[in-house]
Amino acid sequence: MLNLQAITKNFFLFLSNNKTLDRLAKRYGTRFGVDKLVGGETFSQAIPVIKQLNEDGLVVTVDHLGEFVESESEARERAQEAVETIDAMADNKLDCEMSVKLTSLGLDISRELVLTNMEMILDKARERGVTLQLDMEDSSRCQATIDIFKQLRAKYTNVGLVIQSYLYRSDKDLDELDEYNPYLRLVKGAYKEPGVVAFQDKDMVDRNLKQLIKKHMLNGNYTAVGSHDEEMINFTKELAEEQGIPKDRFEFQMLYGMRNKLQHDLAKEGYTVRVYMPYGMEWYGYYMRRLAERPANIAFAVKGIFSR
């Protein structure tokens, strides 16, 4: 029998895929406390926030929010926006990377389109000294995302990838990716996946994430541990100390607006802490998944409703 937390998670994951609610969210803008989790509706609004985080000793990765891209013209617009954002990042001397979702660049439309868009973005990023990371989406797009990463990695060194520990396949994926000496962000995963492809038990997801972290770090590859879980963070710190892995070979990544004290404490200890900061009007799907991950985030929404 599902407990209340599981029911709440499933409910918000269901809402995250509702295109009608996504359209309503665009119309009515950032409300319901979403401003606590999103850097702004435009990148220009996010720039002073990023500068402050940099001054506080934190580095950043930005993600222009957007899902359900269905037209070639919109995908090309997203690619051009990414190019302009990279210029703005470099011009403002921000210590910042960029995360991109391939579906926002045409993955569901054609492979040729998404590759054309990604090459344009990566050419600009290489020119301006910026690193990009490909976000991983749901399991139905996992293989296509990995295939595109491999193709891009053969030409570009400034591109990384996300691997999700709740998928059964991830350990094998790590083995196959090792030859590319990849920069990977290792996370638990935020989508609702069926039992045929993903662990349903939290302990199994956690155990697999620890195995992936250990394997990737011992392989000598740069590792980003994307987790707010202090057990996972302590596991990584202890592994690095035991194996003599220097602090410049891994980092911790956390979402903007969550575990702020922990972020600053780790930075003061000399660890690299990267804040994942989304921005843009299309915040709905991202926000619903954050509510699903952590029920305490619902308090942000409630406060937003009664403070406007």
Side-chain angles (χ1 to χ4, degrees), residues 100-136:
V100 296
K101 288 182 173 60
L102 293 184
T103 52
S104 73
L105 299 170
L107 180 64
D108 293 345
I109 300 170
S110 79
R111 185 184 180 94
E112 180 182 4
L113 175 62
V114 73
L115 282 170
T116 298
N117 285 335
M118 277 303 307
E119 288 177 355
M120 180 177 72
I121 296 168
L122 283 166
D123 283 340
K124 173 58 72 172
R126 183 165 56 188
E127 173 193 331
R128 302 305 304 263
V130 172
T131 297
L132 263 75
Q133 197 156 47
L134 308 185
D135 277 341
M136 187 61 71

Side-chain angles (χ1 to χ4, degrees), residues 47-284:
I47 288 174
V49 184
I50 297 170
K51 285 184 175 179
Q52 184 60 59
L53 289 170
N54 287 168
E55 290 175 9
D56 292 342
L58 304 170
V59 295
V60 177
T61 186
V62 295
D63 172 27
H64 184 200
L65 293 170
E67 304 185 40
F68 312 128
V69 172
E70 297 174 343
S71 72
E72 181 175 329
S73 61
E74 188 176 1
R76 293 190 186 279
E77 287 174 7
R78 290 303 180 91
Q80 183 58 42
E81 196 279 340
V83 167
E84 293 169 1
T85 298
I86 289 168
D87 275 333
M89 289 163 58
D91 291 344
N92 285 276
K93 297 180 172 57
L94 303 177
D95 195 339
C96 189
E97 296 180 352
M98 175 179 285
S99 294
V100 296
K101 288 182 173 60
L102 293 184
T103 52
S104 73
L105 299 170
L107 180 64
D108 293 345
I109 300 170
S110 79
R111 185 184 180 94
E112 180 182 4
L113 175 62
V114 73
L115 282 170
T116 298
N117 285 335
M118 277 303 307
E119 288 177 355
M120 180 177 72
I121 296 168
L122 283 166
D123 283 340
K124 173 58 72 172
R126 183 165 56 188
E127 173 193 331
R128 302 305 304 263
V130 172
T131 297
L132 263 75
Q133 197 156 47
L134 308 185
D135 277 341
M136 187 61 71
E137 300 177 69
D138 61 70
S139 61
S140 67
R141 299 176 174 93
C142 183
Q143 188 60 54
T145 301
I146 290 175
D147 290 344
I148 289 171
F149 168 77
K150 290 178 178 179
Q151 188 169 344
L152 294 171
R153 187 64 179 79
K155 183 178 178 181
Y156 302 94
T157 59
N158 60 325
V159 60
L161 180 68
V162 175
I163 294 294
Q164 300 166 317
S165 73
Y166 67 176
L167 296 180
Y168 302 141
R169 59 174 292 165
S170 293
D171 186 67
K172 183 180 178 182
D173 287 335
L174 217 64
D175 290 336
E176 293 181 357
L177 288 165
D178 186 50
E179 66 179 281
Y180 296 88
N181 187 222
Y183 162 29
L184 299 181
R185 179 197 303 150
L186 304 177
V187 303
K188 296 180 184 181
Y191 293 85
K192 181 174 174 56
E193 301 285 2
V196 294
V197 299
F199 297 109
Q200 303 297 301
D201 181 74
K202 179 183 180 300
D203 289 341
M204 292 297 294
V205 175
D206 290 353
R207 188 179 310 162
N208 198 38
L209 181 54
K210 289 179 180 178
Q211 292 173 351
L212 296 177
I213 292 169
K214 183 175 183 179
K215 174 177 286 191
H216 198 56
M217 290 179 70
L218 293 183
N219 282 344
N221 299 314
Y222 192 83
T223 305
V225 177
S227 178
H228 305 98
D229 186 341
E230 291 187 57
E231 179 183 347
M232 207 63 61
I233 292 167
N234 289 333
F235 169 83
T236 304
K237 291 165 68 174
E238 291 167 6
L239 174 66
E241 185 174 349
E242 290 169 1
Q243 299 296 324
I245 300 171
K247 291 179 179 178
D248 63 2
R249 295 302 302 155
F250 65 97
E251 66 183 48
F252 297 108
Q253 294 192 3
M254 300 185 200
L255 299 173
Y256 173 66
M258 296 191 191
R259 303 305 305 271
N260 294 337
K261 184 178 184 302
L262 178 58
Q263 293 176 18
H264 286 87
D265 287 346
L266 287 168
K268 289 175 183 176
E269 292 174 24
Y271 294 100
T272 299
V273 179
R274 188 172 304 279
V275 179
Y276 184 101
M277 176 185 288
Y279 72 95
M281 291 292 295
E282 299 186 44
W283 51 267
Y284 173 77

